[in-house]
Amino acid sequence: MLRNKNILIGITGGIAAYKICELVRMFKKNDANVKVVLTPNAKEFVTELTMDTLAQDRVYIEQFNTTDKKPEHISLCDWADIFIIAPASANTIGKLANGIADNLLTSLACAFTGTKLIAPAMNTGMWENRFVQKNISALKNAGMHIVEPESGFLACGTCGKGRLASVEKVFNEAALLLYENQALKGKKILITAGGTRENLDPVRYIGNYSSGKMGKALADAAYNAGAEVTLICTFEETKPYKTITVNSALEMENAVKNEAQNANCVIMAAAVADYRPAECSVSKIKKDKNEELTIKLVKNPDILANLCKNKKQNQIIVGFCAESDDLIENAREKLAQKGCDFLVANDITRKDIAFSSDYNEVYILSKDAPIKKIDRSTKENIAKSILEIIFKGENSGN
Ligand code: C5P
Protein backbone atom coordinates (compact mmCIF):
# COMPACT_ATOMS: atom_id res chain seq x y z
CA MET A 1 0.00 0.00 0.00
CA LEU A 2 3.00 2.30 0.49
CA ARG A 3 4.65 1.31 -2.79
CA ASN A 4 6.58 4.24 -4.25
CA LYS A 5 5.48 6.66 -1.55
CA ASN A 6 8.23 9.13 -0.68
CA ILE A 7 8.90 9.25 3.04
CA LEU A 8 11.19 11.91 4.45
CA ILE A 9 12.30 11.07 7.98
CA GLY A 10 13.89 13.72 10.15
CA ILE A 11 15.84 12.53 13.19
CA THR A 12 16.79 14.87 16.02
CA GLY A 13 19.31 14.38 18.80
CA GLY A 14 17.64 12.15 21.36
CA ILE A 15 18.39 8.65 22.61
CA ALA A 16 15.24 7.32 20.90
CA ALA A 17 17.00 8.02 17.58
CA TYR A 18 18.18 4.39 17.49
CA LYS A 19 14.56 3.21 17.23
CA ILE A 20 14.19 5.01 13.91
CA CYS A 21 16.43 2.41 12.26
CA GLU A 22 13.47 0.02 12.62
CA LEU A 23 11.04 2.63 11.31
CA VAL A 24 13.15 3.12 8.18
CA ARG A 25 13.19 -0.65 7.67
CA MET A 26 9.41 -0.87 8.04
CA PHE A 27 8.91 1.67 5.26
CA LYS A 28 11.49 0.01 3.03
CA LYS A 29 9.89 -3.40 3.57
CA ASN A 30 6.63 -1.86 2.40
CA ASP A 31 8.28 -0.69 -0.82
CA ALA A 32 8.32 2.99 0.11
CA ASN A 33 11.23 5.29 -0.78
CA VAL A 34 12.95 6.75 2.27
CA LYS A 35 15.28 9.69 2.67
CA VAL A 36 16.72 10.55 6.06
CA VAL A 37 17.74 13.94 7.34
CA LEU A 38 19.66 14.29 10.61
CA THR A 39 20.18 17.33 12.79
CA PRO A 40 23.84 17.80 13.69
CA ASN A 41 22.97 16.57 17.23
CA ALA A 42 21.32 13.39 15.87
CA LYS A 43 24.72 12.34 14.47
CA GLU A 44 25.78 11.77 18.08
CA PHE A 45 23.13 9.03 18.42
CA VAL A 46 22.99 7.26 15.04
CA THR A 47 25.67 7.01 12.41
CA GLU A 48 25.34 8.22 8.86
CA LEU A 49 26.48 4.80 7.68
CA THR A 50 23.62 3.01 9.49
CA MET A 51 21.04 5.33 8.01
CA ASP A 52 22.61 5.31 4.52
CA THR A 53 22.52 1.53 4.52
CA LEU A 54 18.95 1.19 5.80
CA ALA A 55 17.48 3.90 3.58
CA GLN A 56 19.64 2.85 0.61
CA ASP A 57 20.24 6.51 -0.03
CA ARG A 58 22.68 9.08 1.26
CA VAL A 59 21.79 10.82 4.49
CA TYR A 60 21.10 14.56 4.42
CA ILE A 61 22.66 16.74 7.10
CA GLU A 62 24.36 19.75 5.55
CA GLN A 63 22.23 22.79 4.99
CA PHE A 64 24.40 24.24 2.26
CA ASN A 65 25.25 21.51 -0.21
CA THR A 66 26.31 23.04 -3.49
CA THR A 67 26.21 19.85 -5.57
CA ASP A 68 22.45 20.09 -6.21
CA LYS A 69 21.05 22.78 -8.47
CA LYS A 70 18.12 23.34 -6.13
CA PRO A 71 18.86 23.92 -2.44
CA GLU A 72 18.26 20.66 -0.60
CA HIS A 73 15.52 22.02 1.59
CA ILE A 74 13.57 22.78 -1.57
CA SER A 75 14.33 19.64 -3.58
CA LEU A 76 13.54 17.36 -0.63
CA CYS A 77 10.27 19.23 -0.03
CA ASP A 78 9.29 18.68 -3.66
CA TRP A 79 10.11 14.99 -3.32
CA ALA A 80 8.41 14.08 -0.03
CA ASP A 81 4.81 12.85 0.32
CA ILE A 82 5.11 13.08 4.10
CA PHE A 83 7.68 14.48 6.52
CA ILE A 84 8.05 12.52 9.74
CA ILE A 85 10.15 13.97 12.56
CA ALA A 86 10.97 11.20 15.03
CA PRO A 87 12.20 11.48 17.66
CA ALA A 88 11.35 15.17 17.87
CA SER A 89 13.35 16.80 20.67
CA ALA A 90 12.04 19.67 22.82
CA ASN A 91 14.66 21.82 21.11
CA THR A 92 13.48 21.07 17.56
CA ILE A 93 9.79 21.32 18.58
CA GLY A 94 10.56 24.79 19.97
CA LYS A 95 12.16 25.80 16.70
CA LEU A 96 9.29 24.43 14.57
CA ALA A 97 6.73 26.28 16.68
CA ASN A 98 8.62 29.52 16.18
CA GLY A 99 9.61 29.26 12.54
CA ILE A 100 13.31 28.91 13.28
CA ALA A 101 15.29 27.35 10.45
CA ASP A 102 18.88 26.96 11.63
CA ASN A 103 19.75 23.54 10.18
CA LEU A 104 18.62 21.42 7.25
CA LEU A 105 15.89 19.60 9.23
CA THR A 106 14.30 22.77 10.64
CA SER A 107 14.63 24.54 7.28
CA LEU A 108 12.81 21.64 5.64
CA ALA A 109 10.09 21.73 8.28
CA CYS A 110 9.69 25.44 7.65
CA ALA A 111 9.51 25.08 3.87
CA PHE A 112 7.48 21.86 3.60
CA THR A 113 3.77 22.48 3.07
CA GLY A 114 2.70 18.81 2.96
CA THR A 115 1.70 16.44 5.77
CA LYS A 116 3.95 16.58 8.82
CA LEU A 117 3.95 13.93 11.51
CA ILE A 118 5.81 14.70 14.72
CA ALA A 119 6.71 12.01 17.27
CA PRO A 120 8.16 13.74 20.36
CA ALA A 121 10.43 11.90 22.78
CA MET A 122 12.06 13.42 25.82
CA ASN A 123 12.42 13.25 29.58
CA THR A 124 9.14 13.62 31.53
CA GLY A 125 10.13 16.98 33.03
CA MET A 126 10.83 18.36 29.57
CA TRP A 127 7.60 16.92 28.15
CA GLU A 128 5.56 18.47 30.95
CA ASN A 129 7.35 21.81 30.72
CA ARG A 130 4.68 24.39 30.00
CA PHE A 131 6.66 26.01 27.16
CA VAL A 132 7.09 22.63 25.47
CA GLN A 133 3.35 22.00 25.87
CA LYS A 134 2.60 25.45 24.45
CA ASN A 135 4.80 24.64 21.46
CA ILE A 136 3.05 21.29 20.96
CA SER A 137 -0.32 23.07 20.96
CA ALA A 138 1.04 25.53 18.42
CA LEU A 139 2.13 22.68 16.14
CA LYS A 140 -1.28 21.00 16.48
CA ASN A 141 -3.04 24.26 15.71
CA ALA A 142 -0.85 24.61 12.65
CA GLY A 143 -2.22 21.26 11.40
CA MET A 144 0.77 19.09 12.22
CA HIS A 145 -0.02 15.59 13.42
CA ILE A 146 1.43 14.59 16.77
CA VAL A 147 2.01 10.98 17.84
CA GLU A 148 1.91 11.47 21.61
CA PRO A 149 4.79 9.97 23.58
CA GLU A 150 3.99 7.05 25.85
CA SER A 151 4.48 6.55 29.57
CA GLY A 152 7.06 4.09 30.76
CA PHE A 153 10.63 3.57 31.77
CA LEU A 154 12.85 6.24 30.19
CA ALA A 155 16.48 5.98 29.13
CA CYS A 156 17.38 8.63 31.71
CA GLY A 157 16.41 6.15 34.44
CA THR A 158 13.10 7.69 35.43
CA CYS A 159 9.56 6.57 34.79
CA GLY A 160 6.90 8.78 33.25
CA LYS A 161 5.55 10.20 30.02
CA GLY A 162 8.00 11.04 27.29
CA ARG A 163 9.00 7.75 25.70
CA LEU A 164 8.76 7.71 21.90
CA ALA A 165 5.51 6.09 20.75
CA SER A 166 6.16 2.62 19.34
CA VAL A 167 7.62 2.70 15.84
CA GLU A 168 4.66 0.57 14.78
CA LYS A 169 2.34 3.36 15.92
CA VAL A 170 4.37 6.03 14.10
CA PHE A 171 4.38 3.83 10.99
CA ASN A 172 0.62 3.20 11.16
CA GLU A 173 -0.11 6.86 11.74
CA ALA A 174 2.01 7.82 8.72
CA ALA A 175 0.37 5.14 6.57
CA LEU A 176 -3.06 6.41 7.60
CA LEU A 177 -2.19 9.99 6.78
CA LEU A 178 -0.86 8.96 3.39
CA TYR A 179 -4.07 7.14 2.64
CA GLU A 180 -6.67 9.50 3.95
CA ASN A 181 -8.86 8.96 0.92
CA GLN A 182 -8.68 5.25 0.95
CA ALA A 183 -11.10 2.52 0.16
CA LEU A 184 -12.20 1.97 3.77
CA LYS A 185 -12.50 5.57 4.84
CA GLY A 186 -15.85 6.12 6.55
CA LYS A 187 -16.27 2.41 7.41
CA LYS A 188 -16.57 1.23 10.98
CA ILE A 189 -14.99 -2.18 11.38
CA LEU A 190 -15.16 -4.34 14.47
CA ILE A 191 -12.60 -7.14 14.78
CA THR A 192 -12.12 -9.77 17.48
CA ALA A 193 -8.79 -11.47 18.13
CA GLY A 194 -7.17 -14.03 20.42
CA GLY A 195 -8.37 -17.02 22.36
CA THR A 196 -10.84 -16.61 25.19
CA ARG A 197 -10.00 -17.82 28.70
CA GLU A 198 -12.67 -19.58 30.68
CA ASN A 199 -11.85 -19.40 34.36
CA LEU A 200 -11.93 -22.46 36.61
CA ASP A 201 -10.74 -20.68 39.73
CA PRO A 202 -8.71 -17.51 40.43
CA VAL A 203 -5.56 -19.20 39.11
CA ARG A 204 -6.58 -21.50 36.25
CA TYR A 205 -8.46 -21.27 33.02
CA ILE A 206 -9.37 -23.29 29.97
CA GLY A 207 -7.86 -21.65 26.92
CA ASN A 208 -6.55 -22.30 23.43
CA TYR A 209 -3.44 -21.63 21.36
CA SER A 210 -4.78 -18.71 19.33
CA SER A 211 -2.16 -15.92 19.25
CA GLY A 212 -4.51 -13.23 17.95
CA LYS A 213 -1.96 -12.33 15.23
CA MET A 214 -4.45 -12.72 12.37
CA GLY A 215 -7.05 -10.51 14.06
CA LYS A 216 -4.43 -7.90 14.89
CA ALA A 217 -3.14 -7.92 11.32
CA LEU A 218 -6.70 -7.41 10.07
CA ALA A 219 -7.26 -4.52 12.49
CA ASP A 220 -3.98 -2.85 11.46
CA ALA A 221 -4.74 -3.30 7.76
CA ALA A 222 -8.26 -1.90 8.17
CA TYR A 223 -6.93 1.07 10.14
CA ASN A 224 -4.21 1.73 7.56
CA ALA A 225 -6.87 1.67 4.86
CA GLY A 226 -8.70 4.50 6.65
CA ALA A 227 -11.38 2.56 8.56
CA GLU A 228 -12.50 3.42 12.06
CA VAL A 229 -11.42 0.26 13.86
CA THR A 230 -12.36 -1.33 17.16
CA LEU A 231 -10.38 -4.39 18.21
CA ILE A 232 -11.83 -6.62 20.91
CA CYS A 233 -9.00 -8.85 22.05
CA THR A 234 -8.00 -11.19 24.83
CA PHE A 235 -4.66 -9.42 25.47
CA GLU A 236 -3.53 -5.89 26.29
CA GLU A 237 -2.74 -3.89 23.19
CA THR A 238 -1.74 -0.29 22.56
CA LYS A 239 -2.85 0.74 19.12
CA PRO A 240 -3.72 4.02 17.45
CA TYR A 241 -7.33 2.73 17.27
CA LYS A 242 -9.81 1.65 19.95
CA THR A 243 -9.00 -1.61 21.73
CA ILE A 244 -11.09 -3.43 24.33
CA THR A 245 -9.57 -6.23 26.37
CA VAL A 246 -11.81 -9.12 27.43
CA ASN A 247 -11.15 -12.47 29.00
CA SER A 248 -14.00 -14.93 28.57
CA ALA A 249 -16.49 -15.73 25.80
CA LEU A 250 -19.26 -14.07 27.83
CA GLU A 251 -17.22 -10.89 28.19
CA MET A 252 -16.46 -10.97 24.49
CA GLU A 253 -20.13 -11.47 23.67
CA ASN A 254 -21.03 -8.45 25.75
CA ALA A 255 -18.38 -6.23 24.14
CA VAL A 256 -19.30 -7.43 20.63
CA LYS A 257 -23.00 -6.74 21.23
CA ASN A 258 -22.23 -3.16 22.30
CA GLU A 259 -19.77 -2.42 19.55
CA ALA A 260 -21.52 -4.17 16.65
CA GLN A 261 -24.50 -1.77 16.78
CA ASN A 262 -22.81 0.81 14.56
CA ALA A 263 -20.33 -1.36 12.73
CA ASN A 264 -20.46 -1.68 8.95
CA CYS A 265 -18.47 -4.85 9.22
CA VAL A 266 -17.73 -7.37 11.97
CA ILE A 267 -14.85 -9.80 11.60
CA MET A 268 -14.83 -12.57 14.23
CA ALA A 269 -11.23 -13.76 14.06
CA ALA A 270 -11.16 -14.70 17.76
CA ALA A 271 -11.01 -18.32 18.87
CA VAL A 272 -13.98 -18.30 21.21
CA ALA A 273 -14.24 -21.26 23.58
CA ASP A 274 -17.27 -23.38 22.82
CA TYR A 275 -17.64 -24.40 26.47
CA ARG A 276 -16.92 -22.84 29.86
CA PRO A 277 -16.81 -24.36 33.35
CA ALA A 278 -20.35 -24.40 34.78
CA GLU A 279 -18.90 -22.92 37.95
CA CYS A 280 -15.87 -20.81 38.63
CA SER A 281 -14.55 -21.51 42.11
CA VAL A 282 -14.02 -18.38 44.20
CA SER A 283 -11.03 -19.96 45.92
CA LYS A 284 -8.19 -21.93 44.40
CA ILE A 285 -9.12 -25.59 43.86
CA LYS A 286 -6.85 -27.65 46.16
CA LYS A 287 -5.39 -30.95 45.02
CA ASP A 288 -5.29 -32.43 48.53
CA LYS A 289 -9.07 -32.32 48.66
CA ASN A 290 -9.60 -34.11 45.34
CA GLU A 291 -8.12 -37.33 44.10
CA GLU A 292 -10.10 -36.88 40.91
CA LEU A 293 -11.62 -33.72 39.59
CA THR A 294 -14.60 -33.56 37.29
CA ILE A 295 -15.33 -30.26 35.66
CA LYS A 296 -18.76 -29.74 34.26
CA LEU A 297 -18.78 -27.59 31.15
CA VAL A 298 -21.69 -25.64 29.74
CA LYS A 299 -22.01 -24.32 26.22
CA ASN A 300 -21.01 -20.74 25.46
CA PRO A 301 -23.26 -18.61 23.29
CA ASP A 302 -22.25 -18.60 19.63
CA ILE A 303 -21.45 -14.91 19.25
CA LEU A 304 -21.08 -15.10 15.48
CA ALA A 305 -24.32 -17.02 14.85
CA ASN A 306 -26.29 -14.65 17.13
CA LEU A 307 -24.76 -11.66 15.42
CA CYS A 308 -25.84 -13.03 12.04
CA LYS A 309 -29.40 -13.57 13.32
CA ASN A 310 -29.58 -9.91 14.33
CA LYS A 311 -27.63 -8.58 11.39
CA LYS A 312 -28.07 -4.88 10.64
CA GLN A 313 -28.91 -3.74 7.13
CA ASN A 314 -25.86 -3.68 4.85
CA GLN A 315 -23.66 -5.02 7.62
CA ILE A 316 -20.99 -7.48 6.50
CA ILE A 317 -20.28 -10.32 8.91
CA VAL A 318 -17.19 -12.46 8.56
CA GLY A 319 -16.42 -15.62 10.50
CA PHE A 320 -13.26 -17.67 10.79
CA CYS A 321 -12.96 -21.39 10.93
CA ALA A 322 -9.94 -23.34 12.06
CA GLU A 323 -10.19 -26.98 11.05
CA SER A 324 -8.00 -30.01 11.32
CA ASP A 325 -9.94 -32.26 8.88
CA ASP A 326 -11.98 -31.79 5.71
CA LEU A 327 -11.32 -28.07 5.67
CA ILE A 328 -13.50 -27.01 2.77
CA GLU A 329 -16.39 -29.35 3.58
CA ASN A 330 -16.50 -28.20 7.20
CA ALA A 331 -16.15 -24.59 6.16
CA ARG A 332 -19.09 -24.90 3.73
CA GLU A 333 -21.23 -26.34 6.51
CA LYS A 334 -20.15 -23.65 8.95
CA LEU A 335 -20.93 -20.84 6.51
CA ALA A 336 -24.50 -22.10 6.20
CA GLN A 337 -24.90 -22.91 9.89
CA LYS A 338 -23.63 -19.53 11.13
CA GLY A 339 -25.27 -17.49 8.37
CA CYS A 340 -22.32 -15.15 7.85
CA ASP A 341 -21.47 -13.39 4.59
CA PHE A 342 -17.90 -14.69 4.41
CA LEU A 343 -16.04 -17.46 6.15
CA VAL A 344 -12.26 -17.52 6.25
CA ALA A 345 -10.99 -21.07 6.64
CA ASN A 346 -7.52 -22.23 7.60
CA ASP A 347 -5.93 -25.58 8.24
CA ILE A 348 -4.59 -25.80 11.80
CA THR A 349 -2.67 -29.03 11.25
CA ARG A 350 -0.02 -27.27 9.19
CA LYS A 351 3.03 -26.15 11.16
CA ASP A 352 4.03 -23.43 8.68
CA ILE A 353 0.80 -21.42 9.00
CA ALA A 354 -2.09 -20.53 11.34
CA PHE A 355 -1.78 -20.87 15.15
CA SER A 356 1.01 -18.65 16.54
CA SER A 357 2.67 -18.42 13.12
CA ASP A 358 3.35 -15.11 11.35
CA TYR A 359 2.06 -16.77 8.18
CA ASN A 360 -1.25 -18.06 7.00
CA GLU A 361 -2.95 -19.56 3.98
CA VAL A 362 -6.70 -19.27 3.79
CA TYR A 363 -9.76 -20.06 1.74
CA ILE A 364 -12.55 -17.53 1.61
CA LEU A 365 -16.06 -18.87 1.23
CA SER A 366 -19.06 -16.69 0.63
CA LYS A 367 -22.75 -17.22 0.03
CA ASP A 368 -22.69 -16.40 -3.64
CA ALA A 369 -19.15 -16.46 -5.00
CA PRO A 370 -16.74 -19.29 -5.78
CA ILE A 371 -14.22 -20.18 -3.09
CA LYS A 372 -11.10 -18.02 -3.22
CA LYS A 373 -7.72 -19.26 -2.04
CA ILE A 374 -5.14 -16.83 -0.70
CA ASP A 375 -1.76 -18.52 -0.95
CA ARG A 376 0.64 -18.72 1.99
CA SER A 377 1.93 -15.29 2.92
CA THR A 378 2.50 -13.10 5.99
CA LYS A 379 -0.59 -12.46 8.07
CA GLU A 380 -0.21 -8.76 7.13
CA ASN A 381 -0.56 -9.62 3.43
CA ILE A 382 -3.35 -12.13 4.05
CA ALA A 383 -5.22 -9.45 6.04
CA LYS A 384 -5.02 -6.96 3.18
CA SER A 385 -6.27 -9.58 0.70
CA ILE A 386 -9.16 -10.57 2.99
CA LEU A 387 -10.27 -6.93 3.29
CA GLU A 388 -10.00 -6.45 -0.47
CA ILE A 389 -12.22 -9.48 -1.10
CA ILE A 390 -14.78 -8.54 1.57
CA PHE A 391 -15.21 -5.00 0.32
CA LYS A 392 -14.81 -5.68 -3.40
CA GLY A 393 -18.49 -6.43 -3.90
CA GLU A 394 -19.43 -3.23 -2.11
CA ASN A 395 -17.12 -1.01 -4.11
CA SER A 396 -18.25 -2.49 -7.41
CA GLY A 397 -21.88 -2.07 -6.38
CA ASN A 398 -22.66 -5.82 -6.16
O1 C5P B 1 -18.03 -22.98 15.59
P1 C5P B 1 -16.63 -22.56 15.46
O2 C5P B 1 -15.97 -22.24 16.78
O3 C5P B 1 -15.79 -23.43 14.66
O4 C5P B 1 -16.73 -21.19 14.63
C1 C5P B 1 -15.67 -20.30 14.48
C2 C5P B 1 -16.19 -18.91 14.24
O5 C5P B 1 -17.26 -18.63 15.13
C3 C5P B 1 -15.15 -17.86 14.52
O6 C5P B 1 -15.41 -16.75 13.67
C4 C5P B 1 -15.38 -17.53 15.96
O7 C5P B 1 -14.91 -16.23 16.27
C5 C5P B 1 -16.88 -17.68 16.11
N1 C5P B 1 -17.38 -18.18 17.39
C6 C5P B 1 -18.24 -17.41 18.13
N2 C5P B 1 -18.75 -17.88 19.32
C7 C5P B 1 -18.43 -19.07 19.77
C8 C5P B 1 -17.57 -19.90 19.03
C9 C5P B 1 -17.06 -19.42 17.84
O8 C5P B 1 -18.53 -16.29 17.71
N3 C5P B 1 -18.93 -19.48 20.91
Side-chain angles (χ1 to χ4, degrees):
M1 286 159 113
L2 291 170
R3 187 179 296 272
N4 295 331
K5 288 284 171 194
N6 294 335
I7 319 289
L8 182 60
I9 300 184
I11 304 177
T12 76
I15 184 62
Y18 78 93
K19 296 182 179 172
I20 307 310
C21 300
E22 192 53 42
L23 183 67
V24 172
R25 271 176 59 75
M26 283 171 96
F27 281 115
K28 293 296 288 183
K29 274 199 227 158
N30 280 273
D31 298 325
N33 307 311
V34 179
K35 287 184 191 285
V36 174
V37 49
L38 302 180
T39 63
N41 287 336
K43 279 201 298 180
E44 305 292 328
F45 293 93
V46 280
T47 70
E48 283 176 59
L49 181 61
T50 309
M51 286 302 162
D52 275 352
T53 313
L54 292 173
Q56 290 157 347
D57 198 341
R58 78 173 177 85
V59 165
Y60 297 79
I61 304 169
E62 302 302 330
Q63 180 146 27
F64 305 108
N65 189 329
T66 49
T67 54
D68 277 354
K69 291 196 185 66
K70 264 192 189 181
E72 255 155 15
H73 68 278
I74 303 302
S75 61
L76 287 172
C77 285
D78 291 346
W79 176 85
D81 292 312
I82 188 168
F83 186 18
I84 304 169
I85 303 179
S89 63
N91 179 44
T92 293
I93 287 168
K95 290 179 190 174
L96 301 193
N98 290 284
I100 295 171
D102 65 342
N103 59 39
L104 181 59
L105 188 150
T106 50
S107 301
L108 274 163
C110 219
F112 185 62
T113 52
T115 306
K116 287 191 216 85
L117 180 63
I118 317 288
M122 63 199 72
N123 151 279
T124 308
M126 290 171 94
W127 174 250
E128 288 172 354
N129 176 289
R130 65 192 169 102
F131 296 111
V132 172
Q133 283 304 313
K134 198 170 132 221
N135 290 336
I136 291 284
S137 300
L139 298 189
K140 280 185 188 161
N141 291 340
M144 295 186 206
H145 302 269
I146 310 287
V147 193
E148 291 271 324
E150 290 170 359
S151 294
F153 186 67
L154 304 177
C156 57
T158 57
C159 216
K161 192 164 179 183
R163 192 170 68 186
L164 183 76
S166 70
V167 284
E168 195 192 27
K169 194 165 177 180
V170 178
F171 175 86
N172 284 336
E173 207 69 50
L176 178 63
L177 289 169
L178 281 166
Y179 281 92
E180 283 226 323
N181 304 315
Q182 302 155 75
L184 300 186
K185 196 161 172 64
K187 300 250 181 275
K188 290 185 177 169
I189 305 188
L190 173 63
I191 297 164
T192 64
T196 61
R197 294 170 173 197
E198 311 298 325
N199 286 345
L200 280 165
D201 69 12
V203 186
R204 302 160 182 116
Y205 62 85
I206 298 175
N208 61 66
Y209 287 114
S210 167
S211 62
K213 284 182 184 172
M214 193 63 242
K216 255 198 294 185
L218 277 161
D220 285 349
Y223 174 77
N224 289 338
E228 190 184 317
V229 174
T230 301
L231 175 68
I232 299 175
C233 48
T234 54
F235 39 82
E236 293 289 336
E237 201 56 45
T238 311
K239 287 283 179 188
Y241 44 82
K242 183 174 175 184
T243 59
I244 300 171
T245 306
V246 295
N247 206 38
S248 63
L250 291 183
E251 279 176 30
M252 184 169 278
E253 183 193 38
N254 201 23
V256 168
K257 267 188 190 160
N258 288 338
E259 296 294 324
Q261 302 287 340
N262 303 313
N264 304 104
C265 172
V266 183
I267 306 178
M268 287 286 307
V272 185
D274 291 326
Y275 296 91
R276 66 178 183 278
E279 277 173 32
C280 171
S281 167
V282 183
S283 345
K284 187 179 171 188
I285 302 168
K286 294 298 221 183
K287 63 171 178 268
D288 42 357
K289 287 192 193 140
N290 307 292
E291 214 35 63
E292 278 189 351
L293 185 65
T294 305
I295 300 162
K296 186 179 167 198
L297 299 176
V298 291
K299 209 161 193 177
N300 270 327
D302 191 320
I303 308 171
L304 177 63
N306 291 341
L307 210 56
C308 294
K309 275 187 209 131
N310 301 302
K311 192 173 122 130
K312 310 271 170 302
Q313 218 185 356
N314 298 327
Q315 198 173 48
I316 302 173
I317 301 182
V318 184
F320 267 70
C321 110
E323 296 291 341
S324 51
D325 313 280
D326 306 323
L327 180 64
I328 300 296
E329 208 175 298
N330 277 317
R332 271 209 187 94
E333 250 175 51
K334 198 152 284 179
L335 179 75
Q337 171 204 330
K338 305 259 184 185
C340 49
D341 300 291
F342 295 92
L343 193 86
V344 182
N346 56 214
D347 180 348
I348 51 164
T349 58
R350 277 180 51 183
K351 290 278 166 278
D352 61 335
I353 56 166
F355 274 151
S356 299
S357 168
D358 290 331
Y359 292 81
N360 211 349
E361 179 176 290
V362 301
Y363 293 86
I364 302 191
L365 289 81
S366 72
K367 281 179 192 160
D368 31 42
I371 297 176
K372 292 191 180 72
K373 182 182 180 205
I374 309 178
D375 290 329
R376 183 179 182 274
S377 186
T378 60
K379 286 188 173 169
E380 282 74 20
N381 287 336
I382 298 277
K384 286 176 202 164
S385 304
I386 292 174
L387 291 175
E388 266 168 33
I389 291 171
I390 295 172
F391 288 101
K392 198 171 174 191
E394 274 221 328
N395 294 337
S396 63
N398 292 344

